[in-house]
Amino acid sequence: MNKRHITILGSTGSIGTQALDVISHHPDMFEVDTLTANNNAGLLIEQARRFKPNNVVICNEELYTTVNDALAGTDTKVFAGMGSVNSLVQSSTTDIVLASMVGFSGLEPTLNAIRAGKVIALANKETLVAAGSIVTRLAREYNSPIIPVDSEHSAIFQCLQGEHTQIEKLILTASGGPFRTWKGEDIAKATREQALNHPNWDMGAKVTIDSASMMNKGLEMIEASWLFNVNPDDIEIVVHPQSIVHSMVQFTDGCLKAQLGAPDMRVPIQYALSYPERVSLDTKRISFAELAHLDFFAPDTTRFPAIDLAYQAHRMKGNMACIMNGANEIAVDAFLKGKVLFHRIPEIIEKTMEKATFVPLPDIDDIYQSHKQAKEIATSLI
């Protein structure tokens, strides 16, 4: 396998740092081309000194001097602002763009990378949630492969390798988050610290709160629908507390295939970067004797209404999933800042979906406008 040159959008986040760990163990296979960060200048500087990329981008332009001065005398070029990110993802020196920026902000650079025909290792689920029809159409038009990085979608992707049989159903597994066994009234009063205490996965704050509300699984359902061309009614969500079975595919003959492994995000990250090859990784190996059993439950949509909101939004199509996503970003941010209680997150999303303008066949300008409007409505509700 020829050495692959990687651009990481969001290198200082949870996915970005784990991707760099993967790259550090396979220097003969991977080389860092560009790293980007929003505000974490200190960690970006450390990463640049260690991995010696061609370029770094600090999106917060006020921090440009800090980063530029720290990397003076190195061969790394320093840029600032989202305009630089959008330009560098199209660079001829990049083979794979790991899209791991959090939230809607990852859409524009991902679209630019697709237009440049890059391989997209997609860890930003909001890109497909907000603009799935546009993203998938452009990916086909520009011959830009999208390889999923989310553990669930990577599991499905792996299960489909070598298959030519029609998919009957996708089964997305969910850990259930920190509130899986909590009563509804206790979930409503949950604190920031409790919501961020995920039992299995080490993720960024926004994704962890989405997991606690189970909106994360709703977003993943929409993403899976676009990635694998499956109707939402043919995607089932099951709660699986051990997070060993990462997802399953059921075929038309009734057979199921599942991908299993210890909960370690480096596995799907590395598979996306090395695909179609598998390479060694120092992840924990499963002992079925120690596990003894694996549990599966139907999700409780009364305690976790975000799941139904996601199905509702995706069935409506148009810009509704974009509206839902924008409202969720605002509601989660407000909860993290102590402005609303946990139970208000799905309430804000639902009311925003009711108030926002529905566009049945949105273009990219409609998507940006819908996101802006959803954020404004959700902010006014808060």
Side-chain angles (χ1 to χ4, degrees):
M1 186 172 70
N2 294 329
K3 183 174 283 193
R4 298 176 179 185
H5 298 81
I6 316 296
T7 285
I8 302 178
L9 306 181
S11 67
T12 60
S14 175
I15 295 295
T17 53
Q18 292 179 84
L20 287 172
D21 180 67
V22 166
I23 290 169
S24 71
H25 286 86
H26 300 284
D28 57 323
M29 298 173 61
F30 306 120
E31 188 170 316
V32 178
D33 182 55
T34 298
L35 299 175
T36 83
N38 190 22
N39 289 303
N40 195 341
L43 182 53
L44 181 64
I45 291 165
E46 289 180 24
Q47 292 174 342
R49 286 172 174 163
R50 179 179 178 188
F51 290 93
K52 299 177 175 57
N54 291 324
N55 316 289
V56 298
V57 184
I58 184 73
C59 293
N60 184 343
E61 297 184 20
E62 295 179 359
L63 297 172
Y64 170 77
T65 301
T66 300
V67 178
N68 191 53
D69 289 351
L71 297 179
T74 72
D75 293 329
T76 298
K77 296 181 284 294
V78 180
F79 301 88
M82 280 300 297
S84 297
V85 176
N86 287 319
S87 176
L88 288 169
V89 293
Q90 302 176 71
S91 169
S92 60
T93 57
T94 287
D95 300 313
I96 301 174
V97 175
L98 174 58
S100 57
M101 298 175 74
V102 176
F104 188 82
S105 62
L107 174 59
E108 186 177 12
T110 301
L111 288 175
N112 282 306
I114 287 172
R115 292 187 184 102
K118 303 301 180 184
V119 175
I120 309 298
L122 187 64
N124 173 282
K125 60 179 63 65
E126 291 86 355
T127 291
L128 283 175
V129 170
S133 62
I134 296 170
V135 171
T136 52
R137 174 177 56 79
L138 287 175
R140 289 190 296 270
E141 181 180 342
Y142 289 96
N143 195 28
S144 174
I146 299 177
I147 303 177
V149 170
D150 270 353
S151 61
E152 294 81 3
H153 304 95
S154 177
I156 293 168
F157 183 64
Q158 292 178 57
C159 288
L160 291 174
Q161 298 307 303
E163 289 287 348
H164 304 285
T165 309
Q166 184 178 346
I167 296 170
E168 185 171 85
K169 182 168 66 174
L170 301 182
I171 302 171
L172 293 175
T173 57
S175 69
F179 305 141
R180 178 177 61 84
T181 60
W182 287 34
K183 296 179 180 179
E185 57 267 29
D186 295 328
I187 295 174
K189 299 178 291 185
T191 66
R192 180 182 188 274
E193 289 69 29
Q194 289 169 328
L196 288 172
N197 186 28
H198 197 282
N200 298 340
W201 295 97
D202 178 18
M203 305 176 290
K206 196 268 182 184
V207 179
T208 305
I209 299 302
D210 282 346
S211 179
S213 71
M214 292 200 72
M215 174 54 81
N216 196 45
K217 211 50 53 178
L219 299 176
E220 289 174 3
M221 177 275 298
I222 297 173
E223 185 182 9
S225 176
W226 288 116
L227 280 169
F228 305 110
N229 194 28
V230 175
N231 291 325
D233 293 333
D234 295 325
I235 302 175
E236 180 183 355
I237 295 170
V238 296
V239 177
H240 169 49
Q242 292 90 354
S243 294
I244 297 298
V245 177
H246 297 304
S247 275
M248 295 172 271
V249 180
Q250 181 172 301
F251 298 97
T252 51
D253 60 359
C255 290
L256 283 158
K257 284 177 72 174
Q259 187 263 329
L260 287 71
D264 185 339
M265 276 306 300
R266 294 178 305 156
V267 175
I269 292 168
Q270 178 171 284
Y271 189 73
L273 297 182
S274 68
Y275 176 80
E277 305 294 332
R278 288 189 185 273
V279 293
S280 62
L281 184 65
D282 62 344
T283 191
K284 181 181 178 182
R285 270 46 176 175
I286 293 175
S287 167
F288 284 98
E290 291 178 8
L291 276 176
H293 66 276
L294 299 172
D295 300 309
F296 301 91
F297 311 97
D300 184 343
T301 55
T302 301
R303 289 185 298 139
F304 301 101
I307 295 174
D308 281 346
L309 290 175
Y311 274 99
Q312 176 188 333
H314 194 41
R315 289 185 183 115
M316 289 184 70
K317 293 292 192 286
N319 66 332
M320 190 51 67
C322 177
I323 291 165
M324 179 200 71
N325 179 70
N328 181 59
E329 288 189 9
I330 292 296
V332 168
D333 183 66
F335 171 72
L336 287 169
K337 292 177 178 176
K339 294 181 179 179
V340 298
L341 294 174
F342 189 78
H343 75 281
R344 287 274 287 141
I345 294 175
E347 292 177 5
I348 291 165
I349 296 167
E350 184 173 21
K351 289 178 180 178
T352 302
M353 290 169 63
E354 292 170 357
K355 291 176 177 289
T357 303
F358 177 65
V359 181
L361 296 170
D363 59 23
I364 193 62
D365 291 333
D366 293 323
I367 293 297
Y368 285 117
Q369 181 58 38
S370 298
H371 180 72
K372 181 174 181 287
Q373 184 191 39
K375 290 175 67 176
E376 290 172 349
I377 292 171
T379 299
S380 70
L381 291 169
I382 291 166

